[in-house]
Amino acid sequence: MLILALVTLVLHGALAGLFYAFSMSVMPGLNAVEPAQAEAAMRSVNRKILNPWLFVVFIGSPLAALAAGLLADAPAAWWFFAAAGVNAIGSFLFTVAINVPMNNALDAGTMAWKDYSPRWTTRNTVRTVACLASLVLVGVALTQL
């Protein structure tokens, strides 16, 4: 159980870090270059980020928390379930419903960088906060094992 809980913690930390890095460094860096260059770079990032390692972290975080919740005793189980829920809504659902459609619009050329960047970054910051919250919830769950 402890190994699963630690894997859950690492997955949540990796995902929170990924989203944090985008909001705090990648997007400001792209905003510092010409819009056409920023669009081209972001399109490349959006293509390259779709790899098995991302999916392990992105899908694995809420699933690991759910599995840990199913295997843990109360009260730890409830903290793991809360982490799974916050992550699933604040990261997975938010990404699928908001960030991916915006990425697709940028890729299709139907959204300009000046419209894309501030909206995408704000929504990504929401994902960051959700992932940090789920990371804290996993940490609390670990103290309850």
Side-chain angles (χ1 to χ4, degrees):
M1 179 64 222
L2 182 59
I3 299 290
L4 176 59
L6 291 173
V7 166
T8 302
L9 184 72
V10 168
L11 290 171
H12 280 78
L15 191 56
L18 173 70
F19 291 150
Y20 178 82
F22 263 91
S23 286
M24 298 304 139
S25 62
V26 173
M27 296 307 286
L30 292 176
N31 287 333
V33 300
E34 292 297 318
Q37 292 174 312
E39 288 177 15
M42 191 64 173
R43 280 193 294 273
S44 180
V45 167
N46 286 337
R47 289 184 187 115
K48 294 297 182 181
I49 201 168
L50 299 177
N51 65 69
W53 293 112
L54 171 70
F55 294 119
V56 165
V57 173
F58 184 65
I59 296 169
S61 296
L63 291 180
L66 180 61
L70 291 171
L71 296 175
D73 295 325
W78 299 112
W79 292 105
F80 283 120
F81 289 142
V86 168
N87 188 288
I89 293 167
S91 173
F92 186 81
L93 185 60
F94 217 77
T95 298
V96 171
I98 296 171
N99 288 81
V100 169
M102 289 180 70
N103 293 344
N104 293 340
L106 183 72
D107 192 49
T110 59
M111 182 177 273
W113 185 256
K114 68 178 181 61
D115 299 321
Y116 174 88
S117 178
R119 290 177 53 208
W120 191 95
T121 303
T122 298
R123 284 140 181 90
N124 184 68
T125 301
V126 170
R127 298 189 302 179
T128 304
V129 170
C131 287
L132 289 171
S134 65
L135 176 63
V136 169
L137 292 168
V138 171
V140 173
L142 275 163
T143 70
Q144 304 296 313
L145 290 178

